[in-house]
Amino acid sequence: MQSISRRQVLASTVAAGAAGVVLPLIYPRAVQAASASVIRADTRVIEVAGRAANVFGLVQPDGTHGLVTSAANDFQVRLENALKAPTLIHWHGLTPPLGQDGVPDLPQPLLQPGQSYDYNFPIATPGTHWMHAHTLQEQQLLAAPLVVTDPAEASADEQPLVVLFHDFSFKTPEELLAGLTGSAPASANGGMAGHSMSGMSGMDMQGMSSGQGMAMPMDVNDIQYDAYLANDRTLDDPQLFAVERNGAVRLRLINGATATAFWIDTGSIEGEAIAVDGNPVTPVRGRRFPLAMGQRLDIRLRIPDEAGAWPILALREGSVERTGFVLATRGGAVKRIAPAGDQVTAAFDLAFESSLVAAKPLALASADRNQAIEIGGTMQGYSWTLNGRTWGDHKPIAVRKGERIELVLRNASMMGHPMHLHGHHFQVVAIDGRRFAGAVRDTVWLPPMREVTVAFDAANPGTWAFHCHHLYHMATGMMTVVDYAA
Ligand code: C2O
Ligand code: CU
């Protein structure tokens, strides 16, 4: 039943050959995990911009980074902690029963070095997901793809390519966090971006889709990273995927960055967004798609019927830095791409979100409960809140089993936030009060001064994290829980 296609073999050969080195890791393609898999949280060394970098990884015994499995399988995974520090891995996008979600102390304790834990629950729904430490270790690449394939699509003549994006610093996450929260001025922090250092800080809100029409300063990108990665590689040495002329490709893209949102740019090939956060949407055509921290995006595209090489780029929001990978046919000439472009990209808005329509919406129902959540905070003092509170004094969002809940998320801060709910997927049902049958997701972007309403069914009792997927916003307390009993 397990077979590796010619394409996949070709892809690994070309990628390794082009780089002139043997790839240290195999990224998951279409090999299915039949039953129990072992995933080891371990250390590894990658090369970033010519320098060796000690990072973490989530590796199977055969070297595969992350996991590809089928929705027909149960999630049977032994997680081993081979690190010198305690850790725990969250399965972002899966909806496990309480106890197997992998958020420290919600309720599972951290795994100590040398310990392992066996996860076992039904997966049921396919989708592009990922796994990551729910701690500052996420910054050090303790994150990997978790792709659930659809048995109904097993025969689709489509080449799946899985890419996880990340932001990378040679500093430790503790140093990065101290730089954000410390009292030292941004300019003294060597690489930390405060108000004055970020390219887009203080940008004018006019001309953005807010409709506010007034000039207000807005913050984009509070950390300056040393590099931006696509499957651990920079544009100095990008991954080359071997594709076929006129072949159909399905990109499964994951933004695993901790504090960086990316515009996905498909260049001269028009793409079709077919799923967000693993959930199918009515296809939306385009060449540029927003992908916030924590989110996933599946794009279908067709390679032109000619020899060539087509870069797919991830452009840092509100900035010029970029990363990416290359789709190349046999004989396609690959050109060098600089790791910075010459145009500052726009800040994220809700244009793409507004265009999305769920292919599998929630059942029509009116809300049994509305909960307003005001997203607040500023770069000053680096304090970020939900309804005025941080994790230290959070008030659980109390719901009852069986209810349809609507969370009215209003961003009263001047920075965008990707808001993520565990244990459920929600549907975007309104933007700024305008109702529509938007995408089903687990992470939604809130631009400054905008309002997004999401609906979900309370069908998975437990205590589930609800937080901003900007790692340093979460680490400074931008988190609460949705809480209900069976
Ligand atoms: Cu991707 Cu609370 O996590
Ligand atoms: Cu945030």
Side-chain angles (χ1 to χ4, degrees), residues 375 384 415-419 468-470 473-474 478:
I375 296 164
W384 303 99
M415 191 168 186
H417 303 275
M419 300 306 301
C468 176
H469 218 291
H470 183 306
H473 295 185
M474 182 182 80
M478 201 170 199

Side-chain angles (χ1 to χ4, degrees), residues 4-159:
I4 298 178
S5 78
R6 189 173 61 82
R7 268 185 189 148
Q8 290 151 19
V9 172
L10 194 66
S12 357
T13 316
V14 168
V21 293
V22 176
L23 288 178
L25 289 172
I26 308 158
Y27 267 85
R29 292 190 176 89
V31 187
Q32 308 278 312
S35 54
S37 309
V38 174
I39 292 175
R40 206 170 46 230
D42 211 342
T43 53
R44 55 204 180 102
V45 181
I46 62 170
E47 195 182 289
V48 180
R51 268 174 80 182
N54 295 302
V55 298
F56 298 136
L58 290 162
V59 186
Q60 295 184 53
D62 69 357
T64 300
H65 198 221
L67 179 71
V68 176
T69 186
S70 160
N73 297 336
D74 285 349
F75 188 75
Q76 288 189 315
V77 169
R78 167 165 297 185
L79 173 66
E80 296 178 350
N81 182 5
L83 304 178
K84 291 201 182 74
T87 194
L88 199 62
I89 300 304
H90 165 56
W91 320 109
H92 184 136
L94 302 186
T95 51
L98 182 68
Q100 301 193 60
D101 192 39
V103 179
D105 302 323
L106 275 178
Q108 200 191 350
L110 287 163
L111 280 183
Q112 296 304 311
Q115 285 186 337
S116 66
Y117 189 85
D118 292 328
Y119 295 85
N120 192 348
F121 55 87
I123 301 181
T125 41
T128 303
H129 302 312
W130 62 303
M131 53 179 92
H132 65 85
H134 220 271
T135 65
L136 290 181
Q137 293 161 328
E138 184 193 353
Q139 180 69 76
Q140 293 151 301
L141 275 62
L142 200 47
L146 199 183
V147 172
V148 181
T149 59
D150 187 345
E153 288 175 354
S155 61
D157 186 22
E158 196 173 60
Q159 181 183 4

Side-chain angles (χ1 to χ4, degrees), residues 463-480:
T463 305
W464 301 104
F466 176 72
H467 64 90
C468 176
H469 218 291
H470 183 306
L471 178 62
Y472 301 91
H473 295 185
M474 182 182 80
T476 51
M478 201 170 199
M479 169 155 146
T480 182

